[in-house]
Amino acid sequence: MHHKNRSYFTEDHEIFRKSVRTFVEKELLPHQKEWEEKKFVPKEIFKKLGDQGFLGINYPAEYGGSGCDLWYKVVFAEEMTHARMNGFAMDVFVQTDITSPVIEKLGTPEQKKEILEPAIKGEKILALGVTEPSGGSDVARIRTTAKKVGNEYVINGSKTFITNGSRADYIVLAVRTGGSITDKETFKNAYQGLSFILFPTKTEDGKTRPGFSVGRKLLKMGNDSSDTAELSFSDCKVPAKYLLGEENKGFYYIMQNFQGERLITAVMSVASSRQLWNDAVAYLNERQAFGRRLADFQVWQHRFAQWAAEIEAAQELTYRAVDLYNRKIPCVKEITMAKLITTELVNKLAYDCVQAHGGYGYMAEYDVSRIFRDVRLLTIGAGASEIMREIIVKETGLMR
Amino acid sequence: MNIAVLIKQVPDTETKIKIKPDQSGIEEGDIKFIVNPYDEFAIEEAIKTKEKIPGATTFVVSIGPERAGEAIRTALAMGIDKGIHIVNNEPALDSYLTAKVLHGVLKERNISVIFSGKQAIDFDHGQLTQMLADMLDWPCVMITESFQLKEDKSGAKLVRRLGGGAKEIYEIAFPFLVGCEKGLNTPRYASLPGIMKAKTKPVEKLLVSNYLEGQSAFVSYKNYELPPERMAGKKLEGEPQIQAQSLVKLLREESKVI
Ligand SMILES: Cc1cc2nc3c(=O)[nH]c(=O)nc-3n(C[C@H](O)[C@H](O)[C@H](O)COP(=O)(O)OP(=O)(O)OC[C@H]3O[C@@H](n4cnc5c(N)ncnc54)[C@H](O)[C@@H]3O)c2cc1C
């Protein structure tokens, strides 16, 4: 273990780090080129991750988890970066940090047995369905409806940009069970009419649920190894037992759920920043121009010294948020700030790293060109930077 | 049946080694330590063997400072049952003294087979296993690339690699020692549940000083130096004939080898 990390990580965290690193080097990195090119990662890899215990890091043993603290998740997120597949890493974090936590928190024992347990084993894949074609930031205005008819919900509407969407077994689906976004009377309280449904994409006989369909494959700027889909629901019925938590409390659940997602986004952004920095510095030390190494030019030395300092600052802010969240101390402000600072940082840094690589930085075969495209998502997904600043405005009480 | 594995904690192969200013050793501050890679094959083979023998117990033994505890816990996380940490606070052990201490610790433990790496990648001596074999008066097969337990579990069939693609095949009855080579198996990585379970596995702590029996090392380390930096290469340009001519010229005049 690096002695400077001792205040955050114990020897066991470091043993875990090596285990994840070896897994990543042997099971993921060798396939990186192929999976990025084919824009597809085989489903079996989830099972392999599950076998190593990576998908149930802090869940109770009862459901197959390891009951570890949050720092193990930080280790996992940091090491996953070495697979150099931000897209696939996102698929995995949708499973571990964006969908399963809310099931663990609010699910009934039956729901956990059916969904959480196989998700931890990597046998079932989960997705989060919040964003709709008409908007993602403004969660309160969700249009997809679920009407209770007898002992079922009948769902109508559509979702877009859904990670793991085309092959998810269950979608943690945000739906409108009350309120309205058209009726002026009820609109004011639109956010009070949202619910989460643990939508099973297949019926019990393993067939696609009638009324549910996955639309075209979405072509993206980056994150090629990630599965991103458009979903539609037309008079699609699910048994009422799949309601998660209480009806009409969905807005609060969604907001709470964002915390873990934003925190892990910050951790990954810092890890990506370190990787970009290391790659670029290695290149600067190799590449010659005007009879010198690029690293001999003071302009590059200063620029990357500055980035090193900013990465360190972003890292500390993130670790502080992790520490608070780990100790269950309210930290919406810290997590929001970490998400904002780290995702903006990694994008600005990526710009400079492409610049340092010159023309090669623009070539698809260089990692830096792909990572430059991949990290662009980070200031948009999991709550855009503008939304982070909105939250910070409230949290700091700056409007008096 | 007891199966032992000898492991050593060594600097990570990716670590840049720095020498202390007084040249008495290497700077440990920034070094990441790992389980000697060849020892991982030994750990894996021990676990695989144990899985085939009901009631068998595996344990790892490591001599080293406090930090070596991490290597032991890594082995426990992979699936070894117990650990013995022989704490060494006087760093200067040579291979002979290391074998001596291990002999003292292991001779009375009713062991059937001892797995080790074929060498440790820090000093690359590659002689400890053989010395220990001599002290125990047991057979020993080095550079083993295949290990097959016999049907009746009284011993094993081993394949040892020789140069030029030749192989030696041994059939030996327990007890004996095995020096493991790359390719013997694919070491498993510690799973998270494995790491959590390892926390409750017993690690016995002993002191090197209690096993020295008044002996001292044959080898002493005077000082450490980094090997000289490799000089930059030269690229010869032009037609093949011109290149050949300039090569001959360089070999004659600069390096004076012909
Ligand atoms: C690759 C990818 C994967 C995704 N995966 C998922 C997923 O798995 N599940 C899921 O539910 N969603 C997912 N999303 C959706 C993502 O969360 C949304 O794109 C995001 O929330 C932004 O919503 P939007 O795209 O509708 O943009 P809009 O909400 O339309 O925003 C457009 C712009 O306006 C700004 N803006 C919005 N409101 C304000 C305001 N109040 N003040 C100032 N500026 C504002 C935004 O910051 C943004 O810059 C994914 C998106 C992508 C690209």
Side-chain angles (χ1 to χ4, degrees), chain A residues 49 62 69 129 256 335:
Chain A
L49 289 162
E62 199 184 340
D69 65 36
Q256 279 172 21
I335 288 179

Side-chain angles (χ1 to χ4, degrees), chain B residues 28-94:
Chain B
E28 288 203 354
D30 281 338
I31 288 186
K32 271 196 188 165
F33 286 94
I34 56 169
V35 175
N36 175 39
Y38 293 109
D39 300 349
E40 290 190 350
F41 302 116
I43 294 169
E44 178 65 30
E45 205 57 34
I47 299 171
K48 275 169 65 185
T49 308
K50 171 210 152 99
E51 284 166 354
K52 291 183 197 124
I53 305 175
T57 303
T58 51
F59 61 93
V60 284
V61 191
S62 189
I63 301 182
E66 281 303 326
R67 63 170 159 75
E70 186 177 325
I72 292 177
R73 256 179 299 282
T74 302
L76 299 181
M78 286 169 76
I80 296 285
D81 302 313
K82 298 194 284 190
I84 301 178
H85 184 179
I86 314 171
V87 181
N88 179 28
N89 296 319
E90 308 106 274
L93 290 184
D94 60 0

Side-chain angles (χ1 to χ4, degrees), chain A residues 273 276-277 304 307 311 345-353:
Chain A
S273 299
L276 281 165
W277 192 95
F304 278 82
W307 287 129
I311 293 169
L345 167 65
V346 71
N347 274 285
K348 288 175 201 140
L349 170 63
Y351 180 92
D352 255 11
C353 291

Side-chain angles (χ1 to χ4, degrees), chain A residues 1-3 11-12 14-16 18-19 21-23 25-27 51-53 57 66 68 72, chain B residues 14 29-34 67 69-70 73-74 77 186-187 189-193 195-196 199:
Chain A
M1 173 188 358
H2 198 289
H3 59 287
E11 193 178 276
D12 286 320
E14 294 307 316
I15 292 175
F16 180 56
K18 275 174 207 159
S19 147
R21 176 77 64 101
T22 319
F23 180 91
E25 282 170 359
K26 294 203 171 142
E27 305 284 349
D51 288 344
Q52 290 301 114
I57 294 175
S66 292
C68 294
Y72 283 89
Chain B
E14 280 166 29
D30 281 338
I31 288 186
K32 271 196 188 165
F33 286 94
I34 56 169
R67 63 170 159 75
E70 186 177 325
R73 256 179 299 282
T74 302
T186 313
Y189 6 86
S191 70
L192 184 54
I195 293 168
M196 291 298 117
K199 285 188 184 194

Side-chain angles (χ1 to χ4, degrees), chain A residues 90 128-131 135-137 161-163 220 377 380 382 384 386-387:
Chain A
M90 186 167 75
L128 178 78
V130 173
T131 307
S137 302
F161 310 148
I162 305 307
T163 304
K220 306 187 289 288
L377 171 66
I380 298 169
E386 292 70 28
I387 304 303

Side-chain angles (χ1 to χ4, degrees), chain A residues 62-63 108-118:
Chain A
E62 199 184 340
Y63 298 103
T108 62
E110 294 73 37
Q111 288 171 340
K112 290 184 194 177
K113 260 261 145 337
E114 180 183 335
I115 305 169
L116 184 63
E117 201 174 293

